[in-house]
Every structure is written in structure tokens, then in C-alpha cells.
Amino acid sequence: RNERKKMFFCEELKNKIIHENYRIGKEDAFRLKEEPLEILANAANDLRIHFCGNDFDLCTIINAKSGRCSENCRYCAQSVHYKTESPTYSLLGEDVILEEAKRQEKRGVPRFSLVTSGRTLSAEDLEKICEDIKKIKKETSLSVCLSSGLLTEEQFLKLKKAGLSRVHNNLETSRHNFSEVCTTHSYDDKMECLRAAARVGLSLCSGGIMGLGESFEDRIDMLMDIRDLNITSIPVNVLNAIPGTPYGELPKLTDDEVCQMVSIYRFIIPAAFIRLAGGRGLLSDKGRRAFQSGANAAISGDMLTTAGISVETDLILIKELGYTIRKA
């Protein structure tokens, strides 16, 4: 009887979201946490099909500037505060970035993101990246995204004029937990950055990292804030504990934990592209179950300082699961 009651809650909530445009609250999310995982995942997958069909959003990233970051994010191999084996180099040349963009386009990837380490961009690097974006837009059909820290509205305006379409800046964790993760900038700094990008008309991408020692409530609170910002591209990262960082010894999340959170995130933002990102390679099935539990997007290829899953492998998996890669 209890099992039936729980199943009924999961189905009831799904139907309320579909038929009544219901927005779930924190109490609903905590109740979903108690659902049997298979039932929860199936309901989340139903929501994904209803709101997004079989569209799959695929992107790749290039680590365009690596290491020597002034910030002290405790998970990050690129921070100057920790001793790691992470590579360090200044902004890559235009030819290298353009060549990689063209390579990804040929593989069938519609979205390409430049990622740079550091708190923000210098005036010189901003100009260079604007030129990089112009070149990519001129010579490929790719949509271009950028992840470059805490940029201002003025900087975003220049980037948009150059052809940038989307800005990425992860909240990483909840407001409550943020100071445990980083003290060199604040949660509000990140929120203002995202709002500044939105004000100039750029699309937003923001999510977080699971496995930083946060609570279930932290994970839910973060996503509620993302929902309030009307963000529908949501990277879900799993901590890849890097030796030399303060989080280097934290335990690895289980596949079940990841599938559960992806499912609940689908309930919170039903029309989102929930994107498996960093740490997906730590999952025993490289994310297959999560893609059947509400996730419908991925960062493919290598991550910033760790190996990822090849685009070719992902393309096979995406096709096997019945998805179609959407144009960005």
C-alpha cells in the first residue's frame, strides 16, 4: 500500500505539472526524494518527453586559457591556491581556437564554448575573444558560448555584438553552502553576472557540482534560484576529486544519486535542457541511465583539466536512446 501511495504521488505530481502548469516547491522535492528511483526516473522521463520531445542539446568546450586563477574554489585544479598537475597557459591563439571549432562542427556538434580561467577577462583578452567569436561565426555555423567568470554588462554587450549567443556561469552550490566552497567571490557576484548577461539579451547556462559535501536541500535551493532566473540550460557536474585541492579526498557520488537528482531537477524545471557535464566519466554507464531519467543534454569530449567521453561515443549513445541533436 505504501508503495502504491508513493507511486501515486509521483504520478500525481507529474500530471499536475503537465496539465496544470504546477511549479513544485521544496516540500514536493523532499517527497520526491523518498520515491523508488525507478518510478521517479520514469516519471521524470515522461516530463522530458512531454516538454522537450526527443531533442538533445550537445556542446563541446575548449579550455582556451588554463590555470593561474586567483579564485579559491575548493574543487578546482586551476586555482593558484592549490598545487595540482593542471596545465597553465595564456589565451590560445585565434588559429588554434578556430581549428578546434571547425573540427567540432564537422563531427556534428552544433554548440561550441570557449572557457577561460580567472576571475574575469582583461581588456586585451576580451578583444581577442571578440575576434575569435567573429571568426567562428563567419567560418562555421556553430552557436558560440563563453564561460569567463564575472563579466560586466558592458563586456557582455561587446561579446554579443561579436556574435556570442550564450553565457555560462555555474552557481556551483546553494547560497547557504557557497562560502564553504569559495571565499574570493560571492554567490551574489555570480547572480549579478547572470543577470547582467540576461539584460543584454544573452541566453544563460548555469548549474552546479554535486558531491562538494552539500546537503540535499542545498542542491534543491540552488536549482530553485536557477529557476527564478528563467535558466533552461542546466549543467549537472559530478565532483571529480582532484588531488592537491581541498576536495581531493571527497567520496565519489553513486550512479543512483546522480539519477535521483537529475530526475528531481526535471520536476523542478520541466522544460529545461538538463546537461550532464563534468564528472560524467565517473558514472559506470557514462550517463546512459541519467539520459533515461530526465537528462537531455551533454558536454561531450574533454573537460577543462580532465578527460571526458568522446564525441563519437556520445553520438552513438544519443542515437541508441532515440534522441535527435537539436540545432543550437
Side-chain angles (χ1 to χ4, degrees), residues 266-278:
R266 174 60 62 192
F267 272 82
I268 298 172
I269 311 182
F273 281 95
I274 298 174
R275 188 181 309 278
L276 298 189

Side-chain angles (χ1 to χ4, degrees), residues 2 10 29 39 60 77 102 104 148 151 168 183-184 201 216 234 252 283-284 325:
N2 285 340
C10 194
I39 295 166
T60 58
K102 287 180 173 178
Q104 297 301 343
S148 288
L151 301 181
H168 167 266
T183 58
T184 48
F216 177 80
I234 304 166
K252 191 173 82 169
L283 302 177
S284 63
I325 294 172

Side-chain angles (χ1 to χ4, degrees), residues 75 211 238-252 279 282 306:
Y75 55 82
V238 179
L239 179 68
N240 194 340
I242 306 291
T245 66
Y247 287 164
E249 303 299 320
L250 285 182
K252 191 173 82 169
L282 300 173
T306 57

Side-chain angles (χ1 to χ4, degrees), residues 30 33 47 54 85 121-122 138 143 162 188 215 221-222 227 255 269-270 277 289-290:
F30 271 87
K33 184 175 183 278
L47 285 171
N54 287 320
E85 300 298 313
L121 290 174
S122 67
K138 185 179 177 183
S143 280
D188 282 320
S215 67
D221 285 345
M222 179 195 77
R227 182 173 71 179
D255 290 16
I269 311 182
R289 270 178 67 209

Side-chain angles (χ1 to χ4, degrees), residues 198-267:
R199 285 197 295 270
V200 304
L202 288 162
S203 171
L204 303 181
C205 177
S206 185
I209 304 174
M210 296 194 299
L212 304 176
E214 75 284 354
S215 67
F216 177 80
E217 186 172 13
D218 287 322
R219 295 173 187 173
I220 298 304
D221 285 345
M222 179 195 77
L223 207 73
M224 295 291 186
D225 282 344
I226 285 170
R227 182 173 71 179
D228 288 344
L229 290 166
N230 297 315
I231 294 170
T232 55
S233 173
I234 304 166
V236 175
N237 297 272
V238 179
L239 179 68
N240 194 340
I242 306 291
T245 66
Y247 287 164
E249 303 299 320
L250 285 182
K252 191 173 82 169
L253 261 63
T254 66
D255 290 16
D256 281 359
E257 281 180 281
V258 176
C259 285
Q260 182 190 62
M261 284 316 303
V262 163
S263 298
I264 295 171
Y265 281 5
R266 174 60 62 192
F267 272 82

Side-chain angles (χ1 to χ4, degrees), residues 7 18 38 50 68 115 168 171 183:
M7 286 173 67
I18 290 172
E38 187 179 352
H50 177 81
R68 296 192 289 267
V115 183
H168 167 266
L171 290 181
T183 58

Side-chain angles (χ1 to χ4, degrees), residues 76-275:
C76 187
Q78 299 195 61
S79 171
V80 293
H81 298 266
Y82 318 124
K83 289 184 179 178
T84 70
E85 300 298 313
S86 174
T88 61
Y89 50 82
S90 55
L91 192 64
L92 295 174
E94 182 183 281
D95 53 340
V96 177
I97 291 172
L98 183 62
E99 183 184 347
E100 180 62 13
K102 287 180 173 178
R103 187 170 78 93
Q104 297 301 343
E105 183 187 36
K106 280 180 185 171
R107 293 161 121 183
V109 177
R111 189 183 293 284
F112 183 69
S113 183
L114 284 67
V115 183
T116 61
S117 67
R119 182 183 177 93
T120 186
L121 290 174
S122 67
E124 183 184 358
D125 281 353
L126 178 68
E127 293 304 321
K128 286 179 181 175
I129 284 176
C130 284
E131 290 306 309
D132 293 337
I133 293 168
K134 286 175 188 173
K135 273 277 192 184
I136 294 168
K137 293 304 293 182
K138 185 179 177 183
E139 299 191 28
T140 76
S141 62
L142 293 167
S143 280
V144 185
C145 311
L146 178 69
S147 183
S148 288
L150 301 171
L151 301 181
T152 64
E153 190 170 332
E154 184 184 6
Q155 289 172 308
F156 284 135
L157 198 54
K158 284 184 181 177
L159 290 157
K160 190 187 179 198
K161 286 177 180 173
L164 187 70
S165 60
R166 178 175 285 175
V167 168
H168 167 266
N169 192 317
N170 276 343
L171 290 181
E172 306 303 8
T173 189
S174 71
R175 177 184 294 280
H176 172 262
N177 191 51
F178 192 84
S179 62
E180 297 295 319
V181 177
C182 175
T183 58
T184 48
H185 59 268
S186 71
Y187 194 80
D188 282 320
D189 290 334
K190 284 182 167 286
M191 293 285 277
E192 171 50 30
C193 174
L194 288 163
R195 290 187 181 114
R199 285 197 295 270
V200 304
L202 288 162
S203 171
L204 303 181
C205 177
S206 185
I209 304 174
M210 296 194 299
L212 304 176
E214 75 284 354
S215 67
F216 177 80
E217 186 172 13
D218 287 322
R219 295 173 187 173
I220 298 304
D221 285 345
M222 179 195 77
L223 207 73
M224 295 291 186
D225 282 344
I226 285 170
R227 182 173 71 179
D228 288 344
L229 290 166
N230 297 315
I231 294 170
T232 55
S233 173
I234 304 166
V236 175
N237 297 272
V238 179
L239 179 68
N240 194 340
I242 306 291
T245 66
Y247 287 164
E249 303 299 320
L250 285 182
K252 191 173 82 169
L253 261 63
T254 66
D255 290 16
D256 281 359
E257 281 180 281
V258 176
C259 285
Q260 182 190 62
M261 284 316 303
V262 163
S263 298
I264 295 171
Y265 281 5
R266 174 60 62 192
F267 272 82
I268 298 172
I269 311 182
F273 281 95
I274 298 174
R275 188 181 309 278

